[in-house]
Amino acid sequence: MATPTPTPTSPASITASGGRGGFLLARARVAPGGRWAVRAQPAAAELVERSVNTIRFLAVDAVEKAKSGHPGLPMGCAPLGHVLFDEFLRFNPANHAWFDRDRFVLSAGHGCMLHYALLHLAGYQGVTIDDLKAFRQWGSRTPGHPENFETDGVEVTTGPLGQGFANAVGLALAEKHLAARFNKPDLTVVDHYTYVILGDGCQMEGVANEAASLAGHWGLGKLIAFYDDNHISIDGSTAIAFTEDVLARYEALGWHTIWVQNGNTGYDDIRAAIKEAKEVKDKPTLIKVTTTIGYGSPNKASTHSVHGSALGSKEVEATRKNLSWAHEPFHVPDEVKRYSVVPVELKLQNFKVITNKLFCCEEIQTCSSSLGSSSGCCILHSV
Amino acid sequence: MEGILTEACSLAGHWGLGKLIVFYDDNHISIDGDTEIAFTEDVSGRFEALGWHTLWVKNGNDGYDEIRKAIQEAKSVTDKPTMIKVTTTIGFGSPNKANSYAVHGAALGTSEVEATRANLGWPYEPFFVPEDVKSHWSRHIPQGAALEADWDAKFAQYEQKYPEDAATLKSIITGELPAGWADALPQYTTESPADATRNLSQQCLNALAKVVPGLIGGSADLASSNMTLLKMFGDFQKDTPEERNVRFGVREHGMGAICNGIALHTPGLIPYCATFFVFTDYMRGAMRISALSEAGVIYVMTHDSIGLGEDGPTHQPIEHLVSFRAMPNMLMFRPADGKETAGAYKLAVLNRKRPSILALSRQKLPHLPGTSIEGVAKGGYTISDNSTDNKPDYIIMSTGSEVEIAVKAAEELTKEGKTVRVVSFVCWELFDEQSDEYKESVLPEAVTARISIEAGSTLGWQKYVGSKGKTIGIDKFGASAPAPKIYKEYGITAENVIAAAKSL
């Protein structure tokens, strides 16, 4: 994303219904040709790598500090998480409850440090750096498994495997239902995707098959599931008890399936898969992403021990060396910070959220008329 | 459509159960109507993805040769289970109701019964079995006796050639346990190293594995947390089916039902299965069937309370203990230390017609003076008492990880000159079966100053605590934090027990 430094010709002319002068830009992106920076372009490869490692180390450091938690999935799914949140997910960090946001569920809820790190980078006020440091502590907003009533940005409570995936089917059902009831030929007011990350454990649970069968039957084309294929579960390699052909099962259930064979560094593969998934309108899509659990940890990557225990200070050191991450715990490099949240200061009283496409300001008229459902639009808050 | 089916079938495929043959009655109807309404997946495709061989009998109504051929083919496939989809007409023969959901679960009604008789050319009165049909079927009686006689002869040979194995197999067939088997259980004392009951459970399982030939089981991908690996055996897999550690994967409901199958196969097979106590929610259906069908499955359930700490409320049981105390024919054990864990296992193994659940701690617990294996058999028993005439000032009752809290509180109150009885209520069902005299000796009617403490729902404790006592427990969801912090914040402490006692 190129720097979305807000330089509208006259801020005062950008009004929203009920605007009170002075405005705050939380995230800006427009269709090509628009006045604002184009959001859909990914950052330079080097910046992406730094962002991904930021995510990894926020997770590693939080688990280490708590001496409890699950570092493996966050380390392995950081690339997927980065691409999804930074380049595809449509949301407003200042309003986690914006109606037409994309929904995201981490069905493998134990990997919640991945989600918290992403929410933090994205600028959700409910997940500050202090919240990350208070991971798994009494009274914190970052409990050991995601709780929707505790943390803004978390849609559903997960932890027991398979539940989140089934919740995601429900979220996608809601979108499709409301879209059918309320969208008009000339105005689309319900238009968002539901994304879910699930792992081997979720896949084994019967509830996931039940929900997947229904999602296929209902043709929930805006449901996109990522299967974190890391071949590891608590008791070891999945070869021990889980040797079915998952993609074939999903095809039998009426899903479209894609396989990203390199989920560790294949950023373009991930991007292409999500694009392809979004183009399939009549079926839900399962994207199998092959990753290394605990990616980056020289001695524990790819083992079940990195699934659910802190790395330990020695291994944290070794991982920092291995990934050339010289920073202290909980450090977010400036360029990553700047890139993801602009501006840093937020005024949150009495803001009004303007949903895209409907109430775009005059300055960005091109935005509202030329948009398809998958490109971005401006989201302005007036304070 | 049920998820449990995919769980079980995924395992059957993984294990290559070649002698399992499933017939899928493909009649396109369920209670709410045509399966078009909610079930349009490619079932055979799904089974193939799960590693099954699949066949399709397109005419299940009168394609008898097709059916025969399919079964023959299924039997010849020895390395995969087979699913034979048999397309039938539900209610075949009923001229007006065949192929409709109305015929699924309601009597036809007299006029339709008439019409069906006319349709199929069946002029007979109700319950009539024609002579030729009767005589055709009657050959199974001598045939069956001959089959068993052949087997008896073969087994007699087996007994001659392999006497040791024959004796073991015989004990599995009859369910008779080897003499003195219970002596193999570890003998704990107060000097034994303090340990979590999940670890003590592993010691008991491994001790029993040496002497109970039918013990077999495993965990839903939590063997290293539930501590359920039998160290002297390997994994039951496709190529090593003689081994006894079963790896179920994250499939709790399938696991419970598979264990029901193992238990009901032969009296001497004693299956155990394990997961986190909270995930009984995922297999309750199978557990209820264990209780209803008198299958003595042993449910090893660890991480049984807020004591598990940071994983938080999604993982911390609250209502689970009372929910299983409410389930008929289910033994709900919550042992406090080594002796009680051994006692629970002894009873679980003895109770072949009642399933047992053992709720076990993640956290380390001390071995307490006064606990005993014999006490566990009584379900609720006194572990300490400094009163003299069955009239203590206070009765403090508890289970599992909170018994040590009860003991601490009793010590404090005793220092202040009170007489206090501590009761461990390790298994409510067994206590309720005791004589009135025994119950009176533990909970004398005259003593109303009673306090209970348990890290779970207070519901149900009133029956032992009475209306004049106090229950201490947790009636809300847990929290994500280190365990000692949660105990303190939720008031599961000796201080609270003492305060409650003094308020009575």
Side-chain angles (χ1 to χ4, degrees), chain A residues 32 77 116 138 182 198 223 274 286 357-358 380:
Chain A
C77 285
Y116 298 151
W138 177 264
F182 295 107
L198 72 160
L223 173 62
I274 300 177
L286 179 75
K357 297 199 260 310
L358 292 187
L380 298 177

Side-chain angles (χ1 to χ4, degrees), chain A residues 49 56 76 79 260-271 290-291 295:
Chain A
E49 197 59 43
R56 282 199 179 108
V260 171
Q261 300 195 38
N262 173 12
N264 294 327
T265 54
Y267 297 101
D268 283 338
D269 294 336
I270 297 173
R271 289 172 185 122
T290 300
T291 68
Y295 181 91

Side-chain angles (χ1 to χ4, degrees), chain B residues 176-188:
Chain B
E176 194 179 324
L177 292 162
W181 64 273
D183 298 333
L185 285 164
Q187 314 263 344
Y188 298 102

Side-chain angles (χ1 to χ4, degrees), chain A residues 345-363:
Chain A
E345 40 177 88
L346 301 167
K347 296 195 178 96
L348 291 178
Q349 307 104 300
N350 308 315
F351 66 82
K352 268 196 158 58
V353 176
I354 303 160
T355 63
N356 54 2
K357 297 199 260 310
L358 292 187
F359 305 117
C360 267
C361 55
E362 299 139 21
E363 298 283 331

Side-chain angles (χ1 to χ4, degrees), chain B residues 50-97:
Chain B
L50 298 178
W52 285 57
H53 182 65
T54 67
L55 295 166
W56 186 10
V57 171
K58 299 192 178 162
N59 174 11
N61 292 327
D62 53 18
Y64 300 102
D65 282 336
E66 263 192 87
I67 297 173
R68 289 176 186 116
K69 220 167 135 260
I71 299 176
Q72 253 137 26
E73 181 178 331
K75 293 180 85 164
S76 67
V77 174
T78 51
D79 63 336
K80 293 178 167 189
T82 303
M83 191 278 282
I84 305 174
K85 181 165 95 165
V86 187
T87 301
T88 67
T89 299
I90 189 172
F92 180 90
S94 161
N96 304 303
K97 293 193 172 185

Side-chain angles (χ1 to χ4, degrees), chain A residues 136-138 144-145 147 160-161 163 204-206 209-210 213 217 233-235 239-241 243-245 252-253, chain B residues 2-3 6-7 10 14 36-37 40-42 46 49 221-224 237 251-252 282 311 313 315 480 489:
Chain A
R136 295 191 153 216
Q137 300 314 300
W138 177 264
H145 288 82
E147 295 167 17
L161 298 174
Q163 298 287 329
M204 288 188 249
E205 284 289 7
N209 197 78
E210 291 181 9
S213 179
H217 173 68
S233 65
I234 289 182
D235 278 352
I240 287 177
T243 53
E244 52 178 79
D245 183 345
L253 298 179
Chain B
E2 284 288 5
T6 295
E7 291 180 13
S10 180
H14 173 69
E36 281 300 302
I37 288 176
T40 52
E41 53 178 82
D42 175 0
R46 173 160 59 94
D221 193 52
L222 287 170
S224 48
Q237 295 287 3
R251 307 180 178 95
E252 298 79 13
Y282 275 73
D311 270 350
H315 285 56
S480 172
E489 293 290 335

